[in-house]
Amino acid sequence: DAGVIQSPRHEVTEMGQEVTLRCKPISGHNSLFWYRQTMMRGLELLIYFNNNVPIDDSGMPEDRFSAKMPNASFSTLKIQPSEPRDSAVYFCASSFGGGLPNSYEQYFGPGTRLTVT
Amino acid sequence: LAKTTQPISMDSYEGQEVNITCSHNNIATNDYITWYQQFPSQGPRFIIQGYKTKVTNEVASLFIPADRKSSTLSLPRVSLSDTAVYYCLVASSGSARQLTFGSGTQLTVLP
């Protein structure tokens, strides 16, 4: 199994540009999670999907952030327009279960390091 | 909100047993306690999960007292490769906004 795949691994962009992060979950997993990690705030859950449906997006910081999961094998996290304070490492994770992060083992991808200048 | 409190850092020597305690006074009835390990430039990796009493797997043990207000991750005979950040997660079944791993415990294993 290839594990959770994220792309790109590194992204450097200028303020105001659109950024799209991509994630391919582990085959057979039905829950997908997007996290953001910074030194100041640690690892925060942004949104999670269960069976391709967004269950809770209350962790998304503001309207500039959006996430989609068009099918079971692909998800995107988009930031438009990007700002320097969005600089962070963004992780995608997947699990097999009911979509509640507290009960199921999550497998994390390698992350995308985003730098907005 | 089941906020967790962990020591910021711990040092140990190779071959010793390490115990990392996490406080979660406001844990809810349906919450599970999960521990993750994270190496630099990698995503967190699941270690162990439990609800009460004791859970053991091939890499660690998790001790949870009856009141569930704390938990202790026990790593037997640590090696240099166990140097990492360890997170205690007690996730609420409510808003995702409340789900944060916090800053974790930086464990440094010395030779």
Side-chain angles (χ1 to χ4, degrees):
Chain A
D1 193 332
V4 176
I5 299 173
Q6 292 187 246
S7 65
R9 293 294 309 277
H10 302 274
E11 176 80 28
V12 180
T13 190
E14 294 183 346
M15 181 175 61
Q17 297 298 307
E18 177 181 291
V19 175
T20 299
L21 310 181
R22 298 172 176 80
C23 175
K24 176 179 171 55
I26 292 174
S27 178
H29 283 187
N30 64 344
S31 295
L32 183 139
F33 312 87
W34 282 102
Y35 288 86
R36 177 174 67 176
Q37 186 170 36
T38 62
M39 288 294 293
M40 291 295 294
R41 300 178 66 88
L43 192 61
E44 303 171 283
L45 180 65
L46 302 178
I47 184 172
Y48 71 88
F49 296 83
N50 183 240
N51 294 323
N52 311 338
V53 176
I55 302 301
D56 194 331
D57 64 354
S58 58
M60 297 284 261
E62 50 196 274
D63 292 344
R64 298 184 298 106
F65 286 69
S66 63
K68 294 182 179 180
M69 191 165 187
N71 56 62
S73 59
F74 183 67
S75 177
T76 60
L77 177 67
K78 183 177 295 186
I79 308 173
Q80 168 62 24
S82 59
E83 297 181 3
R85 60 192 170 124
D86 301 330
S87 297
V89 180
Y90 291 81
F91 289 103
C92 175
S94 70
S95 72
F96 179 75
L100 295 178
N102 59 319
S103 299
Y104 300 95
E105 178 178 348
Q106 298 178 58
Y107 293 80
F108 282 75
T112 295
R113 181 174 296 277
L114 173 65
T115 302
V116 183
T117 61
Chain B
L1 169 58
K3 181 179 179 180
T4 60
T5 302
Q6 303 175 232
I8 295 175
S9 64
M10 294 181 67
D11 290 342
S12 182
Y13 290 95
E14 281 191 290
Q16 290 187 335
E17 177 185 79
V18 171
N19 295 308
I20 306 174
T21 298
C22 178
S23 297
H24 30 78
N25 292 321
N26 297 324
I27 189 169
T29 301
N30 295 327
D31 284 345
Y32 279 71
I33 300 159
T34 311
W35 284 81
Y36 285 84
Q37 175 192 56
Q38 185 176 27
F39 296 112
S41 301
Q42 294 185 25
R45 185 179 69 133
F46 174 91
I47 300 175
I48 197 167
Q49 183 178 77
Y51 184 80
K52 61 181 179 180
T53 62
K54 177 182 176 182
V55 179
T56 297
N57 62 22
E58 64 277 7
V59 297
S61 294
L62 179 59
F63 299 92
I64 305 168
D67 65 6
R68 305 203 324 127
K69 293 183 181 298
S70 67
S71 59
T72 299
L73 174 72
S74 181
L75 303 173
R77 299 179 298 282
V78 295
S79 64
L80 297 177
S81 63
D82 292 317
T83 294
V85 178
Y86 292 82
Y87 295 97
C88 163
L89 178 64
V90 178
S92 169
S93 57
S95 167
R97 188 186 301 275
Q98 302 171 359
L99 296 164
T100 177
F101 278 56
S103 56
T105 297
Q106 171 66 58
L107 171 66
T108 301
V109 180
L110 305 170

